[in-house]
């Protein structure tokens, strides 16, 4: 079947953005990632273990599965709503502010959960809040940033994931040791980093389609655009890799010789070291990738290289599971993640069919992030069961998905 290419209507020129916007947006992105990175890497696995130590892996998988389903629906809804909003406060701002405050409240619900059912409800509400905030926040990039600045601004956005990972590694895993302060610090950081930008940045004043027109357009229609579909598939496949690594890394470390190598160190503290090392690699490769992709006018090669590096990192986890193999693996994985995520963000912003529907289309694109959060726990349960409880098969699966995602992006035509 031939997939048609959507007609690209002429877009009004987008004025350049200044340093103040870039700085505020970068900090807001760090806050956006802090909203969920500490939760998924550390807080949720530890909470699952506290509620059901014997069945922690299965409980974690089940909770992550239902949370991801809620996230997918919430992201599309948030994109639609922000495209269609016509308030005096702007299209994106109201939802970013409401979402950030709701994320802080959801952290309290998860902290207070005492049963699997309460944890499930808390995570579902948490995922709705995160996506209510993050969808409109990401739509600011195509709204406000011209093509020749997208790589650089995407590089600054790329500070979000490693910045949040560093926060998780240092503040959550190493400095704070009790659940209450950990949850409180995470919720407060989200609000303090996002609200200053959300309350002060200037939204575009030129008008696109009316809210009614935007809501009449089917959300998934954008997937008929060939290049958008390929970018979607690439991100979805690679996100399976990322989700498997995030969900099961702590439990993987518990199956290696980490406890005997570091008998006086908590496993989550060792996880913090790995996250910190991966963060440094991610920062370096992500920032360089964004700058070079702008300068060279090319995106696809950088994105594909990042995916292949993640595959190598996952492969090292399998080949060398004993220390320092996991450290080397996570550094390689982090470098690939930084390169992939930064340049892929610029690539996607550049191939959006219609800028005025950016919220809706990015909501669809973010299904490529949330669907793997549904699929990865199911895969994880199946692979863990097949392996008799061993987690090495999870990382074999992660490597294969990363390779497939890297190959998909090469087929995109609209950008080099």
């Amino acid at each position: 079947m031939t997939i048609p290419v959507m007609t690209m209507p002429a877009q009004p020129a987008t004025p350049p953005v200044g340093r103040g916007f870039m700085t505020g947006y970068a900090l807001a992105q760090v806050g956006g990632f802090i909203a969920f990175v500490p939760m998924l890497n550390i807080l949720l696995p530890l909470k699952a273990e506290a509620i059901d130590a014997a069945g922690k892996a299965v409980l974690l998988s089940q909770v992550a599965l239902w949370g991801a389903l809620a996230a997918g629906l919430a992201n599309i809804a948030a994109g639609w709503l922000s495209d269609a909003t016509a308030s005096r406060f702007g299209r994106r701002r109201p939802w970013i502010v409401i979402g950030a405050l709701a994320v802080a409240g959801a952290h309290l619900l998860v902290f207070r959960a005492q049963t699997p059912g309460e944890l499930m409800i808390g995570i579902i509400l948490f995922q709705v809040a995160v996506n209510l905030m993050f969808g409109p926040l990401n739509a600011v990039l195509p709204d406000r940033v011209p093509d020749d600045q997208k790589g650089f601004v995407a590089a600054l956005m790329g500070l979000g994931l490693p910045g949040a990972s560093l926060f998780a590694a240092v503040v959550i895993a190493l400095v704070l040791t009790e659940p209450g302060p950990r949850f409180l610090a995470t919720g407060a950081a989200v609000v303090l980093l996002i609200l200053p930008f959300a309350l002060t940045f200037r939204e575009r004043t030129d008008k696109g389609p009316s809210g009614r027109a935007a809501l009449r357009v089917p959300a998934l229609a954008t997937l008929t655009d060939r290049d958008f579909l390929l970018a979607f598939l690439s991100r979805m496949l690679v996100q399976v890799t990322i989700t498997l690594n995030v969900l099961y890394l702590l439990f993987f470390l518990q199956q290696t010789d980490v406890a005997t190598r570091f008998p006086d160190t908590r496993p989550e503290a060792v996880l913090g070291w790995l996250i910190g090392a991966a963060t440094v690699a991610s920062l370096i490769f992500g920032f360089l990738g964004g700058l070079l992709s702008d300068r060279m006018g090319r995106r696809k090669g950088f994105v594909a290289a990042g995916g292949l590096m993640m595959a190598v990192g996952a492969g090292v986890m399998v080949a060398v599971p004993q220390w320092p193999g996991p450290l080397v693996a996570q550094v390689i994985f982090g470098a690939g993640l930084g390169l992939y995520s930064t340049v892929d963000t610029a690539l996607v912003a550049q191939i959006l069919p219609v800028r005025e529907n950016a919220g809706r289309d990015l909501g669809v694109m973010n299904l490529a992030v949330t669907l793997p959060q549904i699929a990865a726990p199911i895969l994880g349960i199946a692979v863990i069961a097949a392996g008799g409880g061993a987690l090495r098969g999870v990382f074999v699966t992660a490597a294969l998905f990363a390779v497939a995602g890297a190959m998909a992006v090469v087929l995109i035509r609209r950008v080099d």
Side-chain angles (χ1 to χ4, degrees):
M1 180 179 70
T2 301
I3 300 175
V5 178
M6 295 176 69
T7 303
M8 301 284 290
Q11 305 282 344
T14 304
V17 294
R19 293 180 180 178
F21 173 93
M22 293 181 186
T23 301
Y25 196 40
L27 291 174
Q29 286 288 328
V30 173
F33 278 93
I34 285 176
F36 65 87
V37 168
M39 178 69 80
L40 298 182
N41 268 300
I42 300 173
L43 299 177
L44 180 58
L46 289 176
K47 191 68 179 179
E49 186 174 31
I51 291 175
D52 183 2
K56 59 187 179 183
V58 174
L59 176 58
L60 175 65
S61 299
Q62 292 171 339
V63 169
L65 169 63
W66 286 101
L69 182 60
L73 298 174
N75 205 291
I76 292 181
W80 256 358
L81 288 170
S82 68
D83 280 345
T85 297
S87 76
R88 63 190 181 94
F89 300 108
R91 291 199 297 168
R92 315 297 183 193
R93 178 179 291 112
W95 302 106
I96 297 172
V97 172
I98 292 170
L101 296 174
V103 165
H107 273 76
L108 177 62
L109 291 177
V110 175
F111 166 65
R112 298 190 65 177
Q114 298 297 318
T115 67
E118 290 176 355
L119 183 60
M120 187 83 71
I121 293 171
I123 288 297
I124 288 173
L125 294 176
F126 163 79
Q127 288 282 24
V128 170
V130 167
N131 287 277
L132 188 67
M133 170 195 70
F134 222 157
L137 182 64
N138 286 337
V140 173
L141 175 66
D143 278 355
R144 291 283 287 110
V145 182
D147 284 350
D148 60 359
Q149 286 186 303
K150 279 187 169 70
F152 183 71
V153 175
L156 294 176
M157 292 173 65
L159 299 174
L161 179 56
S165 299
L166 192 60
F167 176 88
V170 176
V171 178
I172 304 303
L174 298 177
V175 176
L176 302 177
T177 59
E178 296 298 323
R182 283 171 164 173
F183 278 94
L184 178 62
T186 304
V190 172
V191 172
L192 292 175
L193 287 169
I194 290 178
L195 289 192
F197 174 77
L199 295 174
T200 58
F201 86 99
R202 293 184 178 181
E203 296 204 52
R204 290 182 63 94
T205 57
D206 55 298
K207 303 297 182 183
S210 70
R212 290 175 180 267
L215 288 172
R216 280 200 300 267
V217 178
L220 298 182
T222 191
L223 290 176
T224 62
D225 180 272
R226 178 186 183 276
D227 285 348
F228 188 93
L229 177 60
L230 287 168
F232 179 92
L233 292 173
S234 172
R235 184 176 288 189
M236 182 172 64
L237 292 165
V238 169
Q239 190 62 39
V240 171
T241 299
I242 297 169
T243 304
L244 290 172
N245 188 72
V246 166
L247 283 178
Y248 298 106
L249 180 56
L250 177 60
F251 296 161
F252 180 88
L253 293 175
Q254 293 173 346
Q255 293 185 351
T256 68
D257 63 343
V258 165
T260 56
R261 289 292 187 99
F262 308 101
D264 299 324
T265 305
R266 291 171 287 114
E268 62 264 32
V270 178
L271 175 64
W273 301 346
L274 298 189
I275 293 173
T279 294
V280 173
S282 183
L283 281 168
I284 294 171
F285 277 78
F287 204 78
L288 288 176
L291 291 176
L292 290 174
S293 71
D294 265 355
R295 180 168 297 182
M296 298 172 63
R298 295 179 178 274
R299 313 282 192 203
K300 293 190 299 185
F302 291 98
V303 176
L308 293 175
M309 290 172 69
M310 280 188 275
V312 171
V316 173
M317 293 286 289
V318 178
V320 192
Q322 306 305 315
W323 194 266
L327 175 61
V328 175
Q330 289 302 306
V331 168
I332 298 171
F333 192 95
L337 175 58
L339 183 59
Y340 181 93
S341 60
T342 296
V343 185
D344 184 62
T345 297
L347 182 150
V348 168
Q350 199 166 333
I351 65 169
L352 290 178
V354 181
R355 189 189 66 209
E356 293 302 333
N357 286 335
R360 181 205 68 185
D361 294 345
L362 286 175
V364 173
M365 180 59 71
N366 280 329
L367 282 175
V369 176
T370 53
L371 289 176
Q373 292 176 30
I374 299 170
I378 296 174
L379 280 172
I381 291 172
V383 172
I384 291 168
L391 292 171
R392 293 177 69 176
V394 168
F395 290 89
V396 173
T397 305
L400 294 175
F401 273 88
V403 171
M407 296 300 98
V409 79
V410 175
L411 301 175
I412 291 174
R413 295 174 181 170
R414 203 146 63 229
V415 296
D416 293 326

